[in-house]
Amino acid sequence: IVWPDSRAADEAEYIRNGIGNAEFYSKTGLWQPDGALPLAKVMNIKKNQPDVYRRTYKFMLLEDYLIFRLTGRYVTEKSLVSSTGWYDIIGDEYYKAALDLCDISLEKFPDVLSCGAVVGGVSDRKCGLSEDTLVVCGAMDQICSAIGSGNISEGIVTETTGTALVLGATVDKPVFDGENPITIYRHYNDKYIYMPYCNTAGIVLKWFKETIAAEICEKAEQRDISAYQMIDEYAEKAECGSGGVILLPHFGGKSLAADFADAFDASPAVGTEDEPENSCDEIIELPATFQRHQRAFGATLPAVSDTAGPHLAPGSPLIGMAPRAGAFRKFAAGSAEKSAGGDFGIHHQRSLE
């Protein structure tokens, strides 16, 4: 089941009612159960496909399954399992109260190892690797990104812009602020990482290409270039600000302090001008604008509570990884010069007139 699959909305509501958002957040670092939560999905399987649940020996994430095929061992990793809702990131153990609430057996889950832990040698000769090859636990993709960028100690922030847009701020000890909840995962070397994110950054380009930009796609095909390259070319010619038109970034819901789980109908904000190519700039500027707000939100981390400590002191290094598209770099630079919060005022609206 792919991770954005939100089939388990009813089960998520059951978990929210049974545990409460505050308690759930303080244990898992996930501020609210939703229909995409793996814990809710397993509960959904047990309710709707009881035979599948009964016959399942272990519920595993993708990396877990690959490791199993290579080594024959059933293991998972701490940052990966932080995304599931069935792991207590502070107690560093399975969240038994949540599993009991959902009537899910603890025996159906693999052992939990740390990032970089050696699992063992290769046992599957069919894969073509030597039996002496060591297999180790990796990590959730954004954790790997942070580690590769050197973000493994408190005071460093990484920013990754791709399909989604994610900030990562390493801390020694997290603070769970119910009024300003930020997603928190286990990190490398027994640290933690704050991860405010938006699921729909670069992926909005795909939506734009497939729903509005048919004419652009035809022109790109005639030139034998990618439609995305042409979108970028149009966007590079535009000024920052998208002519006053704002595209809501939350096509897949919102993961910051306020809940906008249904704020996805942003299409009226796009294509309001005569030609679709005139909308390219606002599509490119979407992740750049959200990037600015993520930075501003991240800058408030030291003020999450009086006991949070100076996690992000002024001048903390910010390491960014973003698309090579010139248009994005331009809008990101222009967006950074603006004050944050100016276009958050419209986020409660389902669409723009």
Side-chain angles (χ1 to χ4, degrees):
I1 302 175
V2 68
W3 68 269
D5 186 312
S6 300
R7 70 180 66 185
D10 291 343
E11 290 75 19
E13 182 178 7
Y14 174 84
I15 296 169
R16 288 195 299 269
N17 293 336
I19 297 178
N21 287 341
E23 176 66 16
F24 185 79
Y25 179 53
S26 71
K27 294 290 187 180
T28 66
L30 309 174
W31 70 276
Q32 179 174 275
D34 60 22
L37 185 75
L39 174 63
K41 290 177 184 174
V42 173
M43 186 180 177
N44 178 273
I45 291 172
K46 183 172 184 180
K47 180 174 71 175
N48 297 305
Q49 299 173 284
D51 189 54
V52 172
Y53 176 85
R54 179 184 59 79
R55 291 186 293 109
T56 299
Y57 180 61
K58 298 289 183 183
F59 287 100
M60 297 185 293
L61 303 178
L62 178 58
E63 184 200 77
D64 309 340
Y65 180 71
L66 295 176
I67 289 177
F68 163 70
R69 291 301 302 268
L70 288 170
T71 68
R73 288 193 61 190
Y74 298 99
V75 299
T76 189
E77 185 272 335
K78 292 180 181 180
S79 70
L80 281 171
V81 79
S82 295
S83 69
T84 62
W86 58 61
Y87 197 69
D88 178 348
I89 65 171
I90 298 299
D92 200 15
E93 60 186 1
Y94 278 102
Y95 189 8
K96 193 171 184 304
L99 292 173
D100 289 345
L101 174 70
C102 300
D103 194 24
I104 297 172
S105 172
L106 179 59
E107 296 179 354
K108 288 187 174 291
F109 298 95
D111 296 332
V112 182
L113 301 181
S114 297
C115 175
V118 175
V119 180
V122 172
S123 62
D124 185 356
R125 296 182 180 180
K126 295 180 181 179
C127 72
L129 296 175
S130 165
E131 293 181 2
D132 296 328
T133 303
L134 286 181
V135 178
V136 303
C137 281
M140 177 258 194
D141 57 354
Q142 296 298 333
I143 301 300
C144 289
S145 171
I147 294 171
S149 301
N151 182 5
I152 57 174
S153 59
E154 189 169 277
I156 301 177
V157 180
T158 46
E159 178 184 86
T160 305
T161 306
T163 301
L165 191 153
V166 185
L167 284 183
T170 300
V171 294
D172 295 328
K173 184 178 180 181
V175 174
F176 298 88
D177 188 324
E179 293 186 4
N180 295 288
I182 305 170
T183 300
I184 304 171
Y185 274 33
R186 291 289 299 219
H187 195 10
Y188 173 72
N189 203 23
D190 289 330
K191 295 186 184 296
Y192 299 84
I193 188 165
Y194 290 115
M195 286 204 314
Y197 64 92
C198 178
N199 284 335
T200 47
I203 193 64
V204 175
L205 284 169
K206 184 174 186 290
W207 169 85
F208 177 68
K209 178 176 77 75
E210 295 179 349
T211 58
I212 294 176
E215 184 177 341
I216 292 177
C217 293
E218 291 177 4
K219 292 180 179 178
E221 186 175 354
Q222 292 170 4
R223 290 177 54 189
D224 194 26
I225 63 173
S226 165
Y228 297 114
Q229 180 180 338
M230 180 162 278
I231 291 171
D232 188 48
E233 289 177 1
Y234 281 123
E236 284 185 325
K237 299 174 184 177
E239 296 296 327
C240 293
S242 305
V245 179
I246 299 170
L247 176 67
L248 303 184
H250 309 299
F251 278 47
K254 191 172 186 295
S255 67
L256 294 180
D259 176 19
F260 301 114
D262 62 344
F264 59 85
D265 186 10
S267 54
V270 184
T272 57
E273 302 176 17
D274 294 335
E275 300 294 336
E277 53 262 36
N278 292 332
S279 296
C280 293
D281 55 333
E282 63 208 42
I283 295 294
I284 297 290
E285 191 165 14
L286 158 67
T289 300
F290 191 77
Q291 182 185 78
R292 171 167 54 91
H293 289 293
Q294 291 280 52
R295 286 176 173 175
F297 192 80
T300 69
L301 289 176
V304 167
S305 80
D306 293 337
T307 61
H311 295 322
L312 290 179
S316 295
L318 174 65
I319 304 168
M321 287 162 284
R324 289 178 292 177
F328 179 85
R329 293 197 300 269
K330 180 186 74 171
F331 287 128
S335 182
E337 296 175 356
K338 303 176 184 178
S339 61
D343 46 351
F344 267 14
I346 67 166
H347 286 180
H348 290 285
Q349 301 177 16
R350 291 281 298 181
S351 63
L352 294 177
E353 296 296 337

